[in-house]
Amino acid sequence: MDHIDKALLRALQQNAALSQRDLAEKVGLSQNACWRRLHALRAAGVIEGETIRLSQEAVGLGVTVFVMVRTRFHSRDWLSQFREAVLSIPHIVDFHRLAGDYDYMLKIVAKDMNAFDGIYQTLISKVELDTVTSYLSMEAIANNRDMPV
């Protein structure tokens, strides 16, 4: 990846709706050269898709909760069941396996605390967990930042 590829990626992260013409102009390429580079970046798996970012509040999801999970179970079967349970709940928007005091971290978005409690109850009804600790986000100071390329 050279400096032009990185410039393309930075521009796309800021505005994925740029036309190919505008993108090519922004990084100093012809449209054909820009298309070839984008095609190569997609083929290499650098660009995984094109999405838009929604305003959490505008779509009625004003609460963000980080849920830390500790488990006694570490078998493949349990992990498969846990993954299936988590991925079946659309309000869980991020899901990480951790090293340290907790085993997993979930980022949950909800309308309000009552809705969060319903999501929590759904999760614990699907899989046995040892310790679940929730942290309510008061403010997103930096959220969904661009990748530093």
Side-chain angles (χ1 to χ4, degrees):
M1 210 170 13
D2 65 12
H3 71 283
I4 294 175
D5 289 337
K6 290 178 181 181
L8 282 168
L9 296 172
R10 284 191 297 272
L12 286 171
Q13 285 186 106
Q14 292 171 1
N15 184 359
L18 283 173
S19 70
Q20 195 166 317
R21 177 187 302 163
D22 291 341
L23 182 59
E25 191 175 296
K26 192 172 188 101
V27 299
L29 291 174
S30 70
Q31 281 186 298
N32 286 340
C34 181
W35 181 88
R36 283 191 301 274
R37 283 180 178 259
L38 288 174
H39 183 73
L41 289 166
R42 284 186 182 100
V46 176
I47 297 174
E48 295 181 336
E50 296 179 34
T51 63
I52 58 172
R53 293 179 186 161
L54 301 178
S55 165
Q56 201 174 315
E57 289 77 21
V59 297
L61 300 170
V63 172
T64 300
V65 182
F66 294 93
V67 176
M68 309 303 289
V69 175
R70 192 175 295 130
T71 181
R72 293 183 300 265
F73 309 103
H74 297 280
S75 71
R76 286 181 192 242
D77 289 341
W78 182 89
L79 177 55
S80 178
Q81 179 187 3
F82 183 52
R83 282 182 192 209
E84 186 177 311
V86 169
L87 296 176
S88 74
I89 302 171
H91 287 80
I92 301 175
V93 296
D94 286 321
F95 176 28
H96 297 268
R97 187 167 59 90
L98 306 175
D101 290 337
Y102 289 95
D103 299 307
Y104 300 93
M105 181 180 76
L106 314 173
K107 179 180 177 183
I108 299 176
V109 294
K111 176 182 175 187
D112 54 30
M113 287 307 292
N114 285 335
F116 166 71
D117 186 52
I119 296 162
Y120 169 80
Q121 295 298 327
T122 298
L123 177 64
I124 64 171
S125 73
K126 292 179 178 245
V127 66
E128 187 175 347
L129 304 172
D130 185 40
T131 303
V132 180
T133 304
S134 300
Y135 297 96
L136 178 65
S137 173
M138 301 298 290
E139 174 186 13
I141 296 169
N143 195 26
N144 296 316
R145 295 178 67 199
D146 293 344
M147 291 291 135
V149 293

